[in-house]
Amino acid sequence: MAEIIQKDGTWVFDGDTLRLTPGRDRNVGLLRRELGELLVPLRALAGISFEQGKKSGRLRLRLRDGADPLLQATGGRLAEPHDPYQLIVDSDRYGVAEYLVDEVRNALLLEQVPSGPVDAYLLAGPSVPLSVSAGDGTASFDGERVRLEWKWQAEDAKSAGGPRTLPLADITAVEWQPSAGLENGHLRFTVRAAPAKVPPKYDPNAVELWGFKRDPLMALVAAAVQARLPHPAGPPALEGASPAEPAADPAPGPAPAAAPVAGDDHDALLRRLRELGGLHRDGILTDEEFALAKAAVLKRL
């Protein structure tokens, strides 16, 4: 097991899963604190890196495209204080960070986890019910329907129609966009048979965000809905099926290419040793990487 404990948070790797727990430091973003502990299965990872600085460094996880509904809904636009897949590391813990990186990389290599995109979510979205108030409205989601209620600051085009209830079956896409410069952000739902997109300020299916502290929390609603929609890269839903059905299991079993060796089968482990030897001879693995991977396999024989 590899573990690193910092003011910014704690990361623990047990060989199969990375457990990410946000710290209690005041610089930890509100979204990370609300998300709480995240469990990232090894098969969801595309890579891990560590960047050193003079006073502090940064651990970064790179997830496989399509593995996480939060990243899918936010389009990778989460700012650093709110990004759960980054960890600030003090300079006196650089060695620990590098050890964790080595352990994760060796496990990815040993289990032959591909780095390409996936067609099903490998992480679960935020739990429901949940409700967030920010910008010109409040967005609530109970797992079956989204409810949008408007604040007094909302434009008449929204408030005149009263609260909106959007069944999950009518939602085809969700998007969270942060504020940037003079441009406001938004949480927008694309709904079947709705008119062409209008600016979020006037769109009754969107909450306009003004760049305030609670804006990132709207990404929780976006991720919870995204996790229950059909995966963008998955097979098309059967005619008449509810859009929520393909995402009923947000954390499906591993793909065959990423599956661990069942029961540490002796012959399979011997084959893995031969594969590692071939990668080493071809120069793909360094001497050190080969030695570490070989030792891990031999330990399981």
Side-chain angles (χ1 to χ4, degrees):
M1 185 178 76
E3 177 183 64
I4 183 167
I5 302 174
Q6 294 290 277
K7 292 182 295 183
D8 194 43
T10 298
W11 286 14
V12 180
F13 179 58
D14 63 6
D16 295 313
T17 304
L18 261 168
R19 185 183 301 269
L20 314 180
T21 306
R24 297 182 178 180
D25 188 74
R26 61 184 179 86
N27 293 322
V28 176
L30 184 60
L31 176 61
R32 285 180 60 197
R33 294 202 297 269
E34 290 295 323
L35 273 173
E37 186 176 83
L38 288 180
L39 299 179
V40 183
L42 184 67
R43 66 183 185 274
L45 291 179
I48 182 172
S49 64
F50 176 57
E51 305 160 2
Q52 293 190 14
K54 290 184 178 180
K55 295 183 179 180
S56 64
R58 192 178 300 273
L59 277 166
R60 297 179 190 269
L61 288 183
R62 184 166 59 89
L63 273 62
R64 299 170 66 187
D65 288 344
D68 180 22
L70 174 64
L71 295 183
Q72 186 72 36
T74 59
R77 293 183 289 264
L78 289 173
E80 289 186 1
H82 307 289
D83 187 345
Y85 303 117
Q86 298 187 31
L87 182 72
I88 298 174
V89 179
D90 295 335
S91 58
D92 61 348
R93 290 293 181 270
Y94 283 178
V96 179
E98 291 170 345
Y99 174 73
L100 180 99
V101 168
D102 287 342
E103 288 293 292
V104 174
R105 286 178 175 172
N106 289 334
L108 289 170
L109 178 67
L110 183 63
E111 298 298 339
Q112 298 183 357
V113 177
S115 60
V118 296
D119 59 4
Y121 294 120
L122 303 181
L123 282 82
S127 59
V128 294
L130 58 85
S131 181
V132 176
S133 182
D136 67 355
T138 298
S140 306
F141 181 53
D142 63 4
E144 296 181 358
R145 61 189 61 82
V146 172
R147 181 174 174 82
L148 302 177
E149 300 175 80
W150 311 115
K151 299 181 180 179
W152 66 268
Q153 300 98 324
E155 291 291 322
D156 290 343
K158 292 182 177 181
S159 58
R164 297 273 293 171
T165 299
L166 309 176
L168 186 64
D170 290 345
I171 298 173
T172 59
V174 58
E175 177 190 55
W176 175 85
Q177 172 78 49
S179 301
L182 299 178
E183 295 292 327
N184 290 335
H186 62 263
L187 169 68
R188 189 199 298 272
F189 300 94
T190 302
V191 179
R192 300 177 194 277
K197 285 185 179 179
V198 297
K201 186 175 184 176
Y202 306 104
D203 188 348
N205 297 319
V207 176
E208 186 182 37
L209 304 175
W210 301 322
F212 295 143
K213 181 179 179 180
R214 293 182 61 82
D215 284 8
L217 293 183
M218 281 292 183
L220 292 174
V221 180
V225 174
Q226 186 73 61
R228 291 160 177 82
L229 294 177
H231 194 283
L238 296 176
E239 185 176 353
S242 167
E245 290 176 7
D249 180 9
V261 180
D264 284 358
D265 179 79
H266 187 271
D267 291 338
L269 290 172
L270 290 178
R271 289 196 299 272
R272 184 65 57 81
L273 279 176
R274 288 194 291 270
E275 292 169 358
L276 291 172
L279 293 172
H280 183 232
R281 286 192 300 273
D282 293 340
I284 298 174
L285 294 180
T286 65
D287 292 344
E288 182 179 0
E289 290 171 337
F290 173 67
L292 288 171
K294 179 181 177 182
V297 176
L298 291 176
K299 185 185 296 185
R300 295 166 62 181
L301 277 171

